[in-house]
Amino acid sequence: MKGRIYTSQKCFHCQSSLKYIEGRGFFQCELHPELQWYGACIVRFGRAHTKRFKTVLEAERHLTYLRVQTDNGSFDQREWAKNQPLSFLSLREKFIEAKERSGISQKQVRHIKRVLELAGKSWDLKQIKDIAEGEIDDFFNTDHGIGNKTLSNWKTVLHDFWVWVVRREKRRSQLQMPDFPEIHFKMKMKTVVSIEDQQAILAEVKRISWNHNPRIWLGIKLLSIYPRVRPGELLNVKEGHINLTDNWIVFPQPKEKEPKSIHLLPEHATLIKEIRNMAPAMPNVYFFRHLKTKSGVKVGGKFGPKYFNIWWRKACKNLGIEGVPVYAGTKHSTVTALGKIMSPEQIKHNVTGHTSSAFQRYFLPDHNEKISATRKVAEMQGDSQPNNVIATFKNRNTN
């Protein structure tokens, strides 16, 4: 049978090598059989695998386990390597490296890393094949102090990790894709403001920020007019991404990972040109940047991810409007208002540029279709002419 157990211990009487007695749990000297050794020994399993044990009994158990693995075809020397290449820790580190090379944003990388580190508190020392449905269920059933929506996002990260591992190992091991638990949650409807309130907030933003930096108001205004654009995408725009000859803005790092651009109306192109001329810069400089030195910022530095929202909330506070961040107050509010004059398909394909399920949380159903349906019901009931209904009611009372 494959594999042997060895010891460096010698016979106390004749200094001969001790012979392992298979299945008896000890070594013995052939010349002095009364001498039996139960202590430190080494398991050698082929040329690649060597492991030390304090007792012969522990070594026998390990050797038996390796033989069973060999018989059923699951033996993998990498499980016993010093660097543990099949441990959750090693694989999650390789997965993060792969994600960094894939070109996703640093924000996404940090999110993936955080989720895997949290799971690693329980799984880092485990071999990947030893983490099955039970361990995964236990992780998601633990109270992490978060909502089900966040927990569902964690599930997506771990599921993607396992898909990557299974694809990587499919030709070298018998690793199977585990089943993940269902996580149910209900998304809240997006908070919006009316177009009138939106315009009032924009006017207040302009009033309080124009002398400080007109690009603050310009950025928020563009978000309200072009719902296709997200705040983070707008902040990544550099001077060279804006073509005022053909009235285009190209977005270098869109969330959809597909080429993305917007065609500016002539009046908006003119507005951008006027504001750009106040502080011109080279093509590789961020357009939405600080123009004055202030605590924590320097001239030419890109606006932070929350900068638009900070000024938006200042304007809302001045107007007594609460609970509406810049994303909801611009994109979501504009799209909701458009629902009164455009169909859902028109808005999805011509305004927002996507058809995600999140769209349904802030877009009102087709206003025109609802009115048409209600009108049909009224006609069926004979209520299409309100004056005739009143007249009929009066006639009935008279008779």
Side-chain angles (χ1 to χ4, degrees):
M1 298 177 70
K2 184 177 181 179
R4 293 294 301 274
I5 302 177
Y6 301 86
T7 184
S8 59
Q9 182 65 45
K10 304 292 184 179
C11 175
F12 297 145
H13 301 292
C14 63
Q15 297 302 307
S16 299
S17 296
L18 299 180
K19 181 181 180 181
Y20 170 63
I21 307 300
E22 185 81 32
R24 292 190 179 183
F26 59 82
F27 287 85
Q28 192 175 49
C29 177
E30 291 182 334
L31 300 178
H32 304 90
E34 72 278 5
L35 177 62
Q36 297 177 352
W37 177 255
Y38 299 87
C41 56
I42 301 172
V43 172
R44 292 198 177 110
F45 197 74
R47 294 184 178 182
H49 181 70
T50 301
K51 189 173 178 64
R52 297 179 180 274
F53 291 91
K54 293 182 178 180
T55 67
V56 178
L57 181 60
E58 292 175 330
E60 282 187 338
R61 289 173 178 170
H62 181 65
L63 182 58
T64 300
Y65 178 68
L66 296 182
R67 288 170 174 172
V68 171
Q69 280 193 316
T70 301
D71 291 341
N72 62 29
S74 62
F75 175 73
D76 192 329
Q77 166 56 28
R78 294 173 299 161
E79 291 183 29
W80 309 102
K82 289 183 178 181
N83 61 350
Q84 293 288 288
L86 293 183
S87 68
F88 182 81
L89 173 60
S90 295
L91 288 170
R92 73 174 173 86
E93 289 177 344
K94 287 184 172 63
F95 180 67
I96 292 171
E97 291 174 1
K99 285 297 182 181
E100 289 176 334
R101 292 193 301 270
S102 70
I104 64 175
S105 69
Q106 284 301 306
K107 181 179 179 181
Q108 291 173 296
V109 171
R110 288 194 298 270
H111 170 65
I112 293 170
K113 187 175 181 180
R114 179 172 178 270
V115 174
L116 293 179
E117 285 177 347
L118 287 170
K121 291 180 180 179
S122 301
W123 301 342
D124 271 351
L125 300 182
K126 292 179 178 289
Q127 298 295 309
I128 191 67
K129 71 175 187 178
D130 295 330
I131 305 173
E133 283 81 358
E135 288 74 22
I136 294 173
D137 285 347
D138 289 344
F139 175 76
F140 285 109
N141 288 333
T142 301
D143 184 6
H144 297 283
I146 59 174
N148 279 8
K149 175 61 173 66
T150 303
L151 206 60
S152 178
N153 293 338
W154 289 12
K155 172 185 169 182
T156 299
V157 171
L158 290 173
H159 187 274
D160 289 347
F161 166 75
W162 250 275
V163 169
W164 175 82
V165 173
V166 171
R167 180 194 60 77
R168 173 188 173 94
E169 295 294 325
K170 66 181 179 180
R171 295 186 183 276
R172 295 195 290 179
S173 66
Q174 297 179 341
L175 184 64
Q176 300 292 322
M177 185 70 189
D179 292 329
F180 282 75
E182 292 289 335
I183 299 177
H184 301 284
F185 62 91
K186 187 175 182 180
M187 298 296 291
K188 296 180 180 179
M189 293 297 290
K190 298 292 186 179
T191 305
V192 297
V193 294
S194 67
I195 288 296
E196 292 76 17
D197 284 344
Q198 184 193 76
Q199 294 308 300
I201 297 170
L202 281 169
E204 182 63 12
V205 169
K206 185 175 183 180
R207 186 187 70 81
I208 63 178
S209 69
W210 184 267
N211 292 333
H212 178 77
N213 190 339
R215 297 176 190 229
I216 298 170
W217 167 79
L218 175 62
I220 297 175
K221 181 175 179 63
L222 291 178
L223 290 174
S224 70
I225 297 174
Y226 301 95
R228 181 185 295 264
V229 184
R230 297 178 177 87
E233 296 166 350
L234 194 64
L235 291 173
N236 286 326
V237 169
K238 295 184 178 180
E239 293 280 355
H241 296 138
I242 303 175
N243 180 348
L244 296 182
T245 301
D246 300 316
N247 295 349
W248 286 94
I249 297 181
V250 177
F251 298 93
Q253 299 174 10
K255 184 178 180 179
E256 297 85 355
K257 299 181 181 179
E258 298 289 338
K260 187 173 185 177
S261 62
I262 58 172
H263 186 258
L264 297 165
L265 294 177
E267 57 268 30
H268 299 147
T270 300
L271 181 60
I272 292 174
K273 183 177 181 180
E274 291 174 352
I275 292 179
R276 169 190 268 179
N277 290 338
M278 296 178 186
M282 299 297 289
N284 63 339
V285 176
Y286 286 106
F287 182 82
F288 292 99
R289 62 186 184 275
H290 297 286
L291 303 179
K292 298 179 180 179
T293 300
K294 193 178 179 181
S295 177
V297 300
K298 61 180 181 179
V299 174
K302 184 176 72 169
F303 287 172
K306 299 180 181 179
Y307 201 61
F308 285 145
N309 197 46
I310 289 172
W311 286 92
W312 173 271
R313 288 191 178 278
K314 285 182 180 179
C316 287
K317 183 178 180 180
N318 292 346
L319 298 175
I321 298 174
E322 299 179 353
V324 185
V326 67
Y327 197 21
T330 53
K331 178 176 181 175
H332 299 156
S333 298
T334 297
V335 172
T336 300
L338 285 173
K340 298 179 180 180
I341 57 175
M342 297 175 69
S343 71
E345 290 304 315
Q346 287 176 314
I347 295 176
K348 287 179 183 180
H349 295 292
N350 300 325
V351 180
T352 64
H354 63 82
T355 58
S356 68
S357 59
F359 181 84
Q360 302 299 333
R361 302 202 317 276
Y362 60 82
F363 172 66
L364 296 177
D366 193 330
H367 185 74
N368 293 330
E369 288 188 4
K370 293 297 183 182
I371 291 178
S372 298
T374 305
R375 175 62 63 198
K376 292 294 184 183
V377 173
E379 291 175 355
M380 289 171 57
Q381 296 178 349
D383 293 345
S384 58
Q385 299 296 329
N387 292 334
N388 292 343
V389 173
I390 295 173
T392 302
F393 179 76
K394 288 182 177 179
N395 291 335
R396 287 176 181 171
N397 286 342
T398 302
N399 295 334

